[in-house]
Amino acid sequence: MVDVIDETFVVARPADVAAAVKDPGFLARVFPRLGLIVFEDRGDEGVRLTVTGELVGTNEFWVEPWGDGAIVHYYLRADPTRKGSATEPRTGPPRRLWRQAVRMRTAHCARLKAGLNEVKDRLEAGRAPGMPPEWAVPPAPAASAATAAKSPARRRAGSAGSGSAQSA
């Protein structure tokens, strides 16, 4: 059995993240030896897939809105397939099956993380590290001239003589 659970945070609109992980080109690049059939398109919440090919089982990308972005939860539960079959699970000595499953899981996880990091890099492009994306920053409330003149920071700045606040 190949069981994979992964979570990746992406600072982007959840709808954009969902569209990226459901893109057939993304799925083909990340999972080249798998046939993936959508059995439930969950809209902005992701997609559930049937897996055939090198593995047979189920796969899910669940996109959860979180803070100023989304967490991509990834689940795979599948068995390696018998040589020459895309749907029949492999049989044999348990130790051999386990070693093959470990190798397949390792390769699958490396491709998955590389793909999710590509999505993350593309969707977060232009955002300074540690800063929220422009779409997530609420506009600053407009302060009235009277309120601004009464603020302590404004008085300190004005009393410094240079128009800028002095630090101690």
Side-chain angles (χ1 to χ4, degrees):
M1 174 63 70
V2 176
D3 260 334
V4 176
I5 298 174
D6 183 76
E7 294 179 333
T8 302
F9 181 70
V10 182
V11 182
R13 288 182 178 92
D16 295 339
V17 175
V21 298
K22 291 192 291 187
D23 175 60
F26 167 79
L27 294 171
R29 277 190 320 278
V30 174
F31 309 121
R33 293 182 291 280
L34 298 180
L36 300 169
I37 302 163
V38 175
F39 72 83
E40 184 179 2
D41 185 332
R42 300 180 65 221
D44 291 350
E45 292 183 352
V47 64
R48 290 184 179 147
L49 307 144
T50 299
V51 177
T52 60
E54 181 177 75
L55 298 167
V56 61
T58 60
N59 181 326
E60 179 178 2
F61 285 95
W62 168 39
V63 179
E64 176 186 18
W66 189 263
D68 58 355
I71 299 172
V72 179
H73 302 273
Y74 175 78
Y75 305 97
L76 171 71
R77 185 171 180 90
D79 289 305
T81 52
R82 183 180 57 75
K83 197 170 211 128
S85 173
T87 58
E88 292 180 47
R90 189 175 292 170
T91 59
R95 176 170 258 150
R96 174 191 257 171
L97 292 174
W98 179 81
R99 283 193 307 261
Q100 292 169 340
V102 167
R103 281 194 301 272
M104 293 177 91
R105 182 186 68 224
T106 301
H108 183 85
C109 288
R111 287 190 306 271
L112 171 69
K113 284 312 268 190
L116 289 175
N117 284 332
E118 286 175 17
V119 166
K120 184 175 176 63
D121 291 345
R122 182 171 49 82
L123 294 179
E124 292 181 359
R127 182 186 67 85
M131 299 303 294
E134 289 180 17
W135 60 267
V137 178
S144 69
T147 305
K150 292 179 183 178
S151 84
R154 178 79 171 181
R155 283 196 304 266
R156 280 194 302 275
S159 65
S162 66
S164 63
Q166 301 279 325
S167 61

